[in-house]
Amino acid sequence: MKVLSIFGTRPEAIKMAPLVRALQNEPRIESVVCVTGQHREMLDQVLALFDLRAQHDLDIMVPNQTLNGLYARLIGRVDSVLEAEQPDCVLVHGDTSTASACALASFHRRVRIGHVEAGLRTGNLAMPFPEEMNRRVVDAVGDLLFAPTAESRGNLLRENLAGRITVTGNTVIDALAMTCAKLAPGGPLARQLQARYDWLDPRRRLLLVTGHRRESFGGGFRNICAALAELARRPDLQIVYPVHLNPQVRNVVTSELSGLPNVHLIAPLDYLDFVWFMQRSHLILTDSGGVQEEAPYLGKPVLVMRDVTERPEAVRAGTVALVGTDTRRIVTEVSRLLDDPGLHGEFSRRINPYGDGKASQRIVDALCGRAVSEFDPGAAALAPA
């Protein structure tokens, strides 16, 4: 069976890397990888970390591109790969333009489509935009729907979709477990990173921040920056913000926060470095979907700068809370977690609602027609310290 895995952004690459490794180890599968280059430098970092090589690189990024321009180039260029490879199945991931455009191109050629991380929903096409629409498109045309959780399966069942659903857990936990193993305390990589970031102050607690969502462009990011500026006045806190390369993020963040004491605006981190920072953080402020899944595995409280999330499992479990982009609410909720050890402890309970490190093998087994023991968070092992 020839399986073509297509991905283009850094989050996709992180979540697809352990699956590609599992596909390569399966004798019944010929694995081919196509990257679209939707995130160029950040994508290359992940490929290097997991020692992956792409047989096809579409390199579709152009300056100041529109979503429609990106979508058109994706469909046109991936069509030539489909023609050349004639795959039995195409695997795409999540909710990116790469995923939806390549799924549609595969559908037009009547190639079976497997959707990794299927079934996540906010119920609002504008939040996140355009990701909510992208994910629904892939699920509508998908033949094999690999849902990370039982709640995701429930979403798919309510929509009466034609694809076969398997609950696998999320492959991001597979990737995170592999990366944590590389960062063993006292090991060479951990020592190297400690030296690289020796400007961190061990006397101050670390607030790790990430932000990039389109729905926060403009006023939302200015509100976020105002909250961070106020929090930076605390003498017990240091803020590390790897700033996204998108000019609509970078320009606002740089103008509002550059030069403030206790605020470190740094370049985007490769995945290994980012996991190291997550391990050392006291809490995380983010709008990232992946971080909402990763942080509970590490026992880190997460405040999400969005009004809705397609990942409600950790919200219900009490390790994640939604704070939106309101300045006062962000300051209040971050301060509560800093000032109330009991509340921080409740958020930090080491639960694992998103995976057990075996999602990739479940997907390979499903592709090969073998019986699959679906992911059950009640039976999942707790995260490592």
Side-chain angles (χ1 to χ4, degrees):
M1 180 194 309
K2 180 183 284 190
V3 177
L4 174 62
S5 301
I6 308 177
F7 49 92
T9 67
R10 185 178 96 150
E12 286 175 290
I14 291 166
K15 294 182 176 186
M16 288 293 281
L19 176 55
V20 171
R21 295 280 293 272
L23 292 167
Q24 292 171 342
N25 292 332
E26 171 55 55
R28 294 175 57 185
I29 289 177
E30 177 186 354
S31 175
V32 181
V33 174
C34 173
V35 296
T36 65
Q38 191 176 334
H39 289 170
R40 183 73 274 168
E41 294 178 7
M42 295 186 287
L43 173 67
D44 292 342
Q45 291 169 358
V46 176
L47 294 176
L49 173 64
F50 290 98
D51 193 25
L52 298 180
R53 184 177 66 87
Q55 285 73 41
H56 301 274
D57 189 335
L58 305 186
D59 197 23
I60 51 84
M61 287 296 288
V62 298
N64 301 315
Q65 67 183 350
T66 65
L67 283 174
N68 285 338
L70 170 64
Y71 215 87
R73 284 190 300 279
L74 282 165
I75 289 180
R77 294 190 187 183
V78 80
D79 192 57
S80 62
V81 176
L82 295 170
E83 173 68 24
E85 293 290 352
Q86 298 291 310
D88 298 295
C89 182
V90 166
L91 295 179
V92 296
H93 182 279
D95 59 10
T96 64
S97 295
T98 285
S100 59
C102 295
L104 278 178
S106 303
F107 174 75
H108 292 155
R109 284 187 170 267
R110 298 185 180 275
V111 178
R112 282 204 313 161
I113 300 156
H115 188 195
V116 182
E117 199 183 77
L120 278 66
R121 297 288 186 272
T122 67
N124 184 342
L125 283 175
M127 292 185 178
F129 177 87
E131 288 86 358
E132 177 81 357
M133 179 278 295
N134 286 336
R135 194 182 295 274
R136 293 195 201 186
V137 166
V138 184
D139 285 337
V141 299
D143 300 277
L144 300 169
L145 304 177
F146 301 116
T149 66
E151 176 141 346
S152 299
R153 174 169 58 188
N155 292 334
L156 296 168
L157 290 173
R158 282 189 289 274
E159 294 174 11
N160 295 312
L161 301 176
R164 189 173 82 236
I165 304 167
T166 306
V167 178
T168 61
N170 200 303
T171 57
V172 75
I173 303 302
D174 302 23
L176 185 56
M178 293 167 64
T179 306
C180 287
K182 295 175 183 286
L183 290 171
L189 280 177
R191 292 197 303 269
Q192 178 184 335
L193 290 169
Q194 185 71 47
R196 182 182 303 168
Y197 302 111
D198 60 0
W199 42 263
L200 283 174
D201 187 343
R203 299 166 299 177
R204 292 190 173 104
R205 290 174 290 180
L206 172 60
L207 171 61
L208 181 62
V209 181
T210 74
H212 70 282
R213 290 287 181 183
R214 288 176 181 269
E215 61 262 33
S216 298
F217 286 176
F221 271 105
R222 285 191 289 273
N223 292 343
I224 292 166
C225 289
L228 295 176
E230 183 171 343
L231 290 164
R233 300 191 190 117
R234 294 181 60 120
D236 62 338
L237 187 66
Q238 57 190 327
I239 299 170
V240 173
Y241 190 164
V243 183
H244 199 276
L245 296 175
N246 189 309
Q248 297 199 61
V249 178
R250 186 177 65 244
N251 292 345
V252 173
V253 171
T254 301
S255 65
E256 298 289 334
L257 298 177
S258 288
L260 290 183
N262 303 333
V263 177
H264 303 280
L265 303 180
I266 62 176
L269 296 166
D270 66 32
Y271 186 60
L272 187 77
D273 294 50
F274 186 71
V275 171
W276 185 85
F277 269 98
M278 283 199 296
Q279 289 176 325
R280 276 145 191 80
S281 65
H282 188 70
L283 67 138
I284 300 172
L285 184 64
T286 187
D287 62 11
S288 164
V291 173
Q292 294 176 58
E293 297 155 344
E294 292 163 325
Y297 180 87
L298 298 172
K300 303 298 179 179
V302 182
L303 297 177
V304 179
M305 299 179 291
R306 293 166 59 184
D307 296 319
V308 294
T309 180
E310 64 276 29
R311 294 167 172 87
E313 292 87 353
V315 175
R316 283 198 300 272
T319 63
V320 169
L322 299 174
V323 297
T325 58
D326 178 76
T327 299
R328 184 48 44 201
R329 188 175 180 194
I330 292 172
V331 171
T332 298
E333 296 304 320
V334 170
S335 299
R336 289 179 66 220
L337 282 167
L338 291 170
D339 297 334
D340 186 341
L343 179 65
H344 186 276
E346 291 176 10
F347 267 76
S348 302
R349 289 172 300 174
R350 288 164 51 216
I351 65 159
N352 194 356
Y354 293 116
D356 57 1
K358 301 175 183 177
S360 299
Q361 189 57 52
R362 289 188 180 97
I363 293 171
V364 171
D365 287 342
L367 288 169
C368 292
R370 295 191 286 259
V372 177
S373 177
E374 294 188 314
F375 170 61
D376 176 6
L382 291 176

